[in-house]
Amino acid sequence: MTLIGEIIAVFLTLAIFSFLYKDNPAYRFAEYLIVGVTVGYGLPLVYKNAFQPFVLQRIFVEHKFIFLIPVFFGILFWFRFSRNYGWLSRYPIAISMGMVGAGVTMSMNSMVLVQVRQAMIPLETFNIFLIFLGTITVMFYFFFSKAHTGLYGKFSRIGIWYMMIGFGASFGYTVMARISLLIGRLQFLADTFKGWIA
Amino acid sequence: MKKNIPLAIVIILGFIFVGWTFIPAKWMQDDFYTAFLEFTKTMSPFAVFLGIYSLVSMHYNRIRRKVPKWGYSYVTLTGLVVTATLGFVYGTQAGTPVQWIFRNFMMPISATMFSLLAFYMATAAYKSFRARSIEATVLLVAAIIIMLGQVPLGMAISRSWPINILDISQWIMDVPNLASKRGILLGVGLGSVATSLKILLGIERTYLGGGD
Amino acid sequence: MNFIKNLQGLDRRYVFVFIAVAIIMPLIFPFNSLTYTTTPVENLYQLIDSYSPYVRADDLNGDGIISEEEAIAFKQDRAIFMDFFHDASTMPELFPMEVAVMRHCIYRRVPFFTFTIMEVAAPIIEEAISVVTDEIQKTGRVIERGKDYINIGYKPPALYLPILLGMGDDIAAAVETDTDGNRIENLPMYRDTAIRNYTQMNLVYETSGSDQGLSWMIYARSRFGVNVGVGLTAVMAADQYPYLQSGQCVGMTAGLKGAAEYENLVDMFAMNNLTFSKGQLDNPTEAMMANLDITSDTVPTKFKMARLGMNAQSVAHILIIVFIILGNIGYFLEKKKQNKNL
């Protein structure tokens, strides 16, 4: 079974790689297969990990019939594709959106206040000064209500330089990421072939 | 009924949750939150089935209308039915047929698909990554330093240099990169708070879908 | 001149072949290369290690080291929580770090929870657990599901925030069951220990190819003060630095490099039953060095995947840099020629 599995995995890997030469039926077969298998995997998982404990258990085993209310709202999700009753699905969506309220204060805290506080620490070292300068000038650059000319324009230009270094860093890391993914697949092929030969 | 009540639910629930982050009282933290948690738990699985229905109906229609390449839709549907059946019968834990399918079907296909990007990125680096202006040159130099600084070979090459490439690349990450990302982040942070506020106040309603 | 011109028009399929060869060769012929560790990875390692009974238990017989018996006898009240947020496509980067962190936890007897809201990540959790436990069971130690770790497994995405916030109170009430359908309160890791919420589960380690870790920082950290560590694909790494500096994120393993660093730390310290110290990184002992030799069979292949990969990464990076330089030389020569013709 392990060997059959390996042969399938190698075939599918090569089928996808064949796209580099040109689009072909083997590639398309794999492409369509992955969609079905992925969704098919989800179905029993949702049933077992959520539907059973959160719905069936409560109503049929514990007889807590109050939970028929959320079940009712849950079923309303299914009207999403109905032309006439599509609006019913807005109710459960609205309930799920409620937590956005907590997000307002908490994102303000984590993404803005804490970061602003970190940008305001005493400029004790040259590096902290450079970070301070960069943060301010990048923000200048994104402030479009004033023309980027004169001294202001010079400042926002420093911001561009900072951003270019930042994007360069991101690009360097992206190269690393993409190569890593390829390494993973080639490592698999190399190890499998090595195993077969041995 | 069609739009206003859902909107009211979002606004009322939203403001309760704003209060929830501030009010330490038991009725808020325990009673309300527990009730909400239990409610959402029971409601949650239903939404997931929606995606499955959408996929099945799409491929069913493709086969029915015999659109170009409709034969492949059988592959999708077969994959779905077989995997789901095996999952229901044998479970999804390690050692089950479904885990075998994951290892030999899902993993090779999706990981290899993404790995193709490496080839295209290498070609792009070769064909279009040019030092056309000073800014582009700055980007290019920073990228090269980071790429060298990340790998053992870069370290080995620069060992005899006065400053180690690793230190330079670490400095780039810790200072100019940090500053630029923070500048952008503050903008994004304010933007996301503004979006949440717009939803909370009922100004932004696209999540409810179109129609009246 | 003609050579450069030819290079400019090179068919991209040749570039493909170059890249493939540059990666395959180092994989077939592995060699040892230096894996130096960076602060974000060391911080993560140290934090997880600080929850270990090998660090926290009382030295009952007073011999200066915590023995296995003493560690087992210790009443554990710390755990880490691992959230998997990625599908198989980013596995080459993220899987080695997940395996390394789990291996660290198992060897140092730090209990852990695994959790995901992505159906496609559920098998990845099972895969990681079996890779780590199979190897350790070979040494005779039995790893019990529910006692050494709890796999909560998949929960629907709509429950992400409710569970995330609910765990501030009680994890058993927030998630109810593990992936096998057992109630959390009946599992020994919960029942027989003091592990209840973020006070004990004071590290969330989130692996993803997106900025999903931010949710933990925004909600769980700002409300309950929980430590958040992230394992990211390299694409997302640069964006994480503002959070690392502010302390909202305590540690990070970024890409294959981060995974290689963590693998190295586990082999140097955890496998030698040692507690992390910076000084030892510069002056490793012979036992440590033996564990770091990736060309020998001392370390099973699955625990050095990232380090083996980093060799290939080195060669590929150099090749891409050469590509960029060659491309630019061609570009400038062409520009010069055009200027002359004008």
Side-chain angles (χ1 to χ4, degrees), chain A residues 117-195:
Chain A
R117 194 173 64 211
Q118 276 302 311
M120 294 197 299
I121 51 178
L123 306 176
E124 281 164 342
T125 65
F126 188 58
N127 279 344
I128 296 179
F129 168 74
L130 286 179
I131 293 174
F132 171 77
L133 180 72
T135 310
I136 297 286
T137 49
V138 168
M139 291 182 77
F140 273 164
Y141 175 77
F142 283 110
F143 190 70
F144 295 117
S145 306
K146 187 170 157 48
H148 290 194
T149 50
L151 188 65
Y152 186 77
K154 283 202 179 96
F155 265 116
S156 71
R157 207 168 159 69
I158 298 177
I160 296 179
W161 278 60
Y162 268 94
M163 276 192 287
M164 285 302 148
I165 300 178
F167 294 148
S170 293
F171 180 81
Y173 264 108
T174 306
V175 170
M176 174 162 141
R178 300 299 179 232
I179 296 288
S180 304
L181 298 182
L182 182 58
I183 289 173
R185 289 328 290 159
L186 294 181
Q187 213 162 10
F188 160 75
L189 286 180
D191 287 350
T192 314
F193 284 132
K194 245 194 238 172

Side-chain angles (χ1 to χ4, degrees), chain C residues 258-292:
Chain C
E261 291 177 41
Y262 209 97
E263 279 180 354
N264 236 33
L265 289 177
V266 174
D267 273 327
M268 276 183 101
F269 297 101
M271 296 305 292
N272 288 314
N273 200 4
L274 288 170
T275 304
F276 176 89
S277 81
K278 191 89 181 163
Q280 205 127 38
L281 275 177
D282 303 324
N283 306 302
T285 60
E286 255 175 61
M288 286 173 154
M289 291 306 282
N291 270 349
L292 298 185

Side-chain angles (χ1 to χ4, degrees), chain A residues 38 49 58 110 115 176 180, chain C residues 120 154 176 179 222 248 313:
Chain A
T38 306
N49 286 21
R58 282 175 187 180
S110 304
Q115 288 298 324
M176 174 162 141
S180 304
Chain C
V120 279
Y154 168 82
E176 295 191 28
T179 193
S222 61
Q248 286 164 290
Q313 192 94 42

Side-chain angles (χ1 to χ4, degrees), chain A residues 20-22 38-39 41-43 45-46 48-50 53-54 57-58 62 96 99-100 102-104 106-107 109-111 114-115 118-119 121 128 131 166 169-188 190-191 194, chain C residues 13 16 19-20 23-24 27-28 89-90 92-93 119-120 122-123 152-156 159 161-162 165 175-177 179 214 217-219 222-223 234-235 237-239 241-243 245-246 248 254-257 301 305 308-309 312-313 316-317 320 324:
Chain A
L20 288 171
Y21 187 69
K22 65 178 194 201
T38 306
V39 176
Y41 187 92
L43 199 59
L45 209 57
V46 177
K48 207 160 51 79
N49 286 21
F54 301 151
Q57 168 88 14
R58 282 175 187 180
E62 295 167 15
S96 324
M99 286 195 105
V100 84
V104 173
M106 287 177 159
S107 319
N109 177 48
S110 304
M111 293 179 79
V114 176
Q115 288 298 324
Q118 276 302 311
I121 51 178
I128 296 179
I131 293 174
S170 293
F171 180 81
Y173 264 108
T174 306
V175 170
M176 174 162 141
R178 300 299 179 232
I179 296 288
S180 304
L181 298 182
L182 182 58
I183 289 173
R185 289 328 290 159
L186 294 181
Q187 213 162 10
F188 160 75
D191 287 350
K194 245 194 238 172
Chain C
R13 283 167 204 176
F16 292 173
I19 287 287
I23 292 175
I24 290 175
L27 291 177
I28 298 177
S89 62
T90 44
E93 283 189 275
E119 294 108 318
V120 279
I152 297 164
Y154 168 82
K155 297 285 168 203
L159 289 181
L161 278 189
L165 292 166
V175 299
E176 295 191 28
T177 53
T179 193
L214 203 55
M217 291 175 224
I218 292 178
Y219 295 96
S222 61
R223 190 162 173 88
V235 178
D239 295 345
Y241 277 77
Y243 299 109
Q245 196 228 10
S246 66
Q248 286 164 290
L256 203 62
K257 165 96 183 344
T301 312
M305 289 301 265
L308 289 169
Q313 192 94 42
H317 276 202
I320 289 188
I324 294 176

Side-chain angles (χ1 to χ4, degrees), chain C residues 24-85:
Chain C
I24 290 175
M25 289 324 257
L27 291 177
I28 298 177
F29 307 106
F31 52 90
N32 281 311
S33 56
L34 206 65
T35 305
Y36 43 88
T37 50
T38 52
T39 323
V41 178
E42 289 166 9
N43 287 349
L44 184 71
Y45 182 91
Q46 266 184 298
L47 188 63
I48 295 178
D49 214 50
S50 71
Y51 295 165
S52 164
Y54 289 105
V55 176
R56 303 174 62 233
D58 294 321
D59 184 11
L60 298 171
N61 55 15
D63 59 354
I65 38 169
I66 314 262
S67 66
E68 202 179 329
E69 291 77 35
E70 284 164 341
I72 295 168
F74 179 73
K75 192 163 163 43
Q76 183 58 272
D77 58 355
R78 285 283 185 280
I80 73 162
F81 186 87
M82 295 175 80
D83 175 21
F84 289 60
F85 193 83

